[in-house]
Amino acid sequence: MREICEATGINRSSFYLHYADIPALITAIVREKWTESVERIHEEMHGDPNIFSEAYVAAMLREAKRDRTFYRAYFEKFGTAELEKGYQTLFENVFKPFFRRLGIESERCMEYHFEFVKAGYFAVTRKWLLYGCPETPEEMAKIIKRSMAAIPDDLPPVPDEFFI
């Protein structure tokens, strides 16, 4: 805490007026970075709703690479916990209808499949960041897309709440 306050030139009482603790500061930084990243991705993708398309995955990876030190540290320290609300939206509005099309009716079974998809996506992204992003985002998007080959390109659109 002392180091943060010294580095930013503020005193502790000013810090605590805005943040309860360091995790609250990190949460605020992550939300700000996420919002900026989503805006850049949306601009680049021109409204393409398929967040699992190769082009979309490459755009997300370019964002992670742009600030790889931050994202690598974030994934190592916090994992994906801050993204759970968005994941729930994605599960309810995109994956549940998809799983039903596949004939999967058990909610628990759907949750298992979805957990596998999201854990795999972030495990590969985290490993790529740890290696220093030697492959291009486009090469990594191909690897991830091949790993998720069963996910079709015609999933329902992702609701805006996922990106908030």
Side-chain angles (χ1 to χ4, degrees):
M1 177 49 88
R2 180 181 47 77
E3 291 174 30
I4 291 172
C5 289
E6 285 175 7
T8 58
I10 62 170
N11 61 42
R12 285 176 169 236
S13 59
S14 293
F15 177 89
Y16 286 115
L17 282 174
H18 298 284
Y19 306 103
D21 50 24
I22 291 175
L25 170 64
I26 292 170
T27 298
I29 292 169
V30 168
R31 284 192 182 129
E32 183 177 320
K33 286 186 174 291
W34 177 251
T35 300
E36 291 169 0
S37 292
V38 166
E39 287 173 6
R40 283 191 293 268
I41 291 168
H42 279 303
E43 281 178 27
E44 181 179 338
M45 295 309 299
H46 307 291
D48 178 0
N50 184 359
I51 65 170
F52 291 100
S53 71
E54 221 171 272
Y56 206 107
V57 171
M60 288 190 287
L61 291 168
R62 275 191 290 282
E63 283 301 311
K65 186 176 181 177
R66 177 178 280 121
D67 200 355
R68 65 179 158 226
T69 303
F70 171 79
Y71 284 105
R72 187 176 61 227
Y74 177 79
F75 284 138
E76 288 306 306
K77 182 80 171 158
F78 298 100
T80 59
E82 282 297 313
L83 305 174
E84 283 304 318
K85 180 182 173 195
Y87 285 141
Q88 192 58 37
T89 300
L90 187 63
F91 176 71
E92 291 294 330
N93 294 285
V94 177
F95 276 86
K96 266 187 167 179
F98 167 63
F99 291 142
R100 286 194 180 105
R101 281 192 344 218
L102 294 177
I104 300 170
E105 292 299 325
S106 162
E107 180 105 5
R108 182 175 296 158
C109 196
M110 289 179 193
E111 288 174 0
Y112 289 148
H113 286 292
F114 184 64
E115 194 65 30
F116 182 82
V117 169
K118 73 180 184 180
Y121 176 81
F122 280 105
V124 170
T125 302
R126 183 175 37 247
K127 184 65 77 174
W128 179 63
L129 290 166
L130 285 171
Y131 287 149
C133 308
E135 296 84 5
T136 67
E138 291 73 20
E139 290 169 324
M140 287 308 298
K142 285 183 188 315
I143 291 168
I144 290 170
K145 186 67 173 167
R146 270 186 245 132
S147 299
M148 300 187 302
I151 299 174
D153 290 332
D154 65 340
L155 284 174
V158 177
D160 288 338
E161 301 89 64
F162 173 73
F163 301 106
I164 297 173

